Amino acid sequence: MSQGGLCPPDRRLVMRRYAALGVLLAVGLTGCTVEEAEAPPPAESEYSDPAVNRPEARQSDVLAQLETVAVKGRAPRTGYDRDHFGRGWKDPDRNGCDARNDILRRDLEDAVAKPGTQGCVILSGHLEDPFTGEIIEFVRGQDTSTEVQIDHVVALSDAWQKGAQLMDPDERVEFANDPLNLLAVDGPTNSAKGDGDAATWLPPNRGFRCDYVARQTAVKVKYELWVTSAERDAIRRIVTTQCPE
């Protein structure tokens, strides 16, 4: 694989991607339009389709998906390194923008892109943070960019301990840059999450917990990762008490 981007996925990954999209249950954040006079927006991707990004998480459907996820113990963290999932952000949908800026554009309201970058460098916008429910003003800069971070809904370290060690390198890069597994969120809250799973960490915003665990479940189905028994029980409890029937 070259350093410039992802190699074309093999047939197995393509088939699993589209199978997962067909049963996707998680709810993405409201999309936005980048207003930019001097540069055209980046090319659309399969993930910009509202039917993919914003379906409603239904209790029975999420539980049915959860039943397909294997239940095992957590493997040792031995050998984990962030670089096993690729260095830096890649361009998984090949629209010319890296995944971080794609997600900022998707999740920020009134996002503004830097002129001359074809919409690929997001300078500002405001985030209706799903983790806290608060409004965060995003301004790109050395001292301000970290106020909004891109969360891996299924943390990379958690994935490593639940099946990602068995993935080939290209698949791990795909996982780390997949918009299904990425959300723009409050930076300090994301740091507090660390590599927690549903059994050890949940968003403070209770109104988002159903959508959050539904998305975690969809990601684990797509990449054939497993859950611990405590994680499965936590997801099931949230879904049965907080997701609509």
Side-chain angles (χ1 to χ4, degrees), residues 136-182:
I136 301 173
E137 296 301 325
F138 171 76
V139 177
R140 183 184 179 90
Q142 182 175 352
D143 298 325
T144 57
S145 288
T146 56
E147 293 178 11
V148 172
Q149 296 179 8
I150 306 302
D151 173 54
H152 287 95
V153 178
V154 174
L156 302 185
S157 175
D158 180 63
W160 180 259
Q161 297 172 79
K162 297 172 183 174
Q165 294 183 42
L166 306 177
M167 294 179 183
D168 62 51
D170 288 354
E171 190 177 0
R172 286 197 292 266
V173 171
E174 179 189 7
F175 173 84
N177 292 271
D178 189 337
L180 174 62
N181 193 33
L182 301 176

Side-chain angles (χ1 to χ4, degrees), residues 25-86:
L25 304 169
V27 178
L29 300 181
T30 302
C32 59
T33 300
V34 179
E35 298 181 357
E36 181 179 8
E38 297 186 30
E44 294 293 324
S45 76
E46 63 186 271
Y47 297 99
S48 64
D49 183 352
V52 171
N53 274 327
R54 297 189 295 274
E56 187 175 12
R58 308 296 301 184
Q59 184 180 124
S60 59
D61 294 335
V62 181
L63 291 175
Q65 260 202 333
L66 183 61
E67 288 303 311
T68 70
V69 181
V71 179
K72 302 180 184 180
R74 184 186 293 270
R77 196 171 181 271
T78 306
Y80 170 74
D81 190 301
R82 172 62 177 84
D83 286 350
H84 289 322
F85 292 84

Side-chain angles (χ1 to χ4, degrees), residues 28-243:
L29 300 181
T30 302
C32 59
T33 300
V34 179
E35 298 181 357
E36 181 179 8
E38 297 186 30
E44 294 293 324
S45 76
E46 63 186 271
Y47 297 99
S48 64
D49 183 352
V52 171
N53 274 327
R54 297 189 295 274
E56 187 175 12
R58 308 296 301 184
Q59 184 180 124
S60 59
D61 294 335
V62 181
L63 291 175
Q65 260 202 333
L66 183 61
E67 288 303 311
T68 70
V69 181
V71 179
K72 302 180 184 180
R74 184 186 293 270
R77 196 171 181 271
T78 306
Y80 170 74
D81 190 301
R82 172 62 177 84
D83 286 350
H84 289 322
F85 292 84
R87 293 185 178 182
W89 293 106
K90 306 301 182 183
D91 181 11
D93 56 9
R94 301 181 185 277
N95 70 341
C97 306
D98 66 45
R100 172 178 168 79
N101 282 286
D102 274 341
I103 299 306
L104 288 174
R105 182 185 308 102
R106 185 193 70 186
D107 292 352
L108 295 178
E109 296 287 346
D110 302 321
V112 175
K114 182 178 180 179
T117 66
Q118 295 185 329
C120 288
V121 177
I122 303 302
L123 297 178
S124 64
H126 64 265
L127 175 69
E128 296 181 15
D129 175 41
F131 279 3
T132 65
E134 299 178 355
I135 302 297
I136 301 173
E137 296 301 325
F138 171 76
V139 177
R140 183 184 179 90
Q142 182 175 352
D143 298 325
T144 57
S145 288
T146 56
E147 293 178 11
V148 172
Q149 296 179 8
I150 306 302
D151 173 54
H152 287 95
V153 178
V154 174
L156 302 185
S157 175
D158 180 63
W160 180 259
Q161 297 172 79
K162 297 172 183 174
Q165 294 183 42
L166 306 177
M167 294 179 183
D168 62 51
D170 288 354
E171 190 177 0
R172 286 197 292 266
V173 171
E174 179 189 7
F175 173 84
N177 292 271
D178 189 337
L180 174 62
N181 193 33
L182 301 176
L183 288 174
V185 299
D186 173 62
T189 306
N190 187 48
S191 297
K193 169 187 170 178
D195 63 357
D197 60 22
T200 58
W201 189 90
L202 291 169
N205 178 14
R206 291 179 176 272
F208 184 66
R209 289 180 178 180
C210 166
D211 298 339
Y212 179 73
V213 300
R215 186 178 284 264
Q216 284 187 325
T217 303
V219 170
K220 293 209 167 183
V221 168
K222 180 175 179 179
Y223 289 94
E224 300 177 6
L225 302 174
W226 66 76
V227 295
T228 65
S229 58
E231 182 182 3
R232 177 202 57 195
D233 293 346
I235 292 173
R236 183 177 292 156
R237 181 176 64 254
I238 294 162
V239 171
T240 55
T241 60
Q242 299 187 31
C243 291

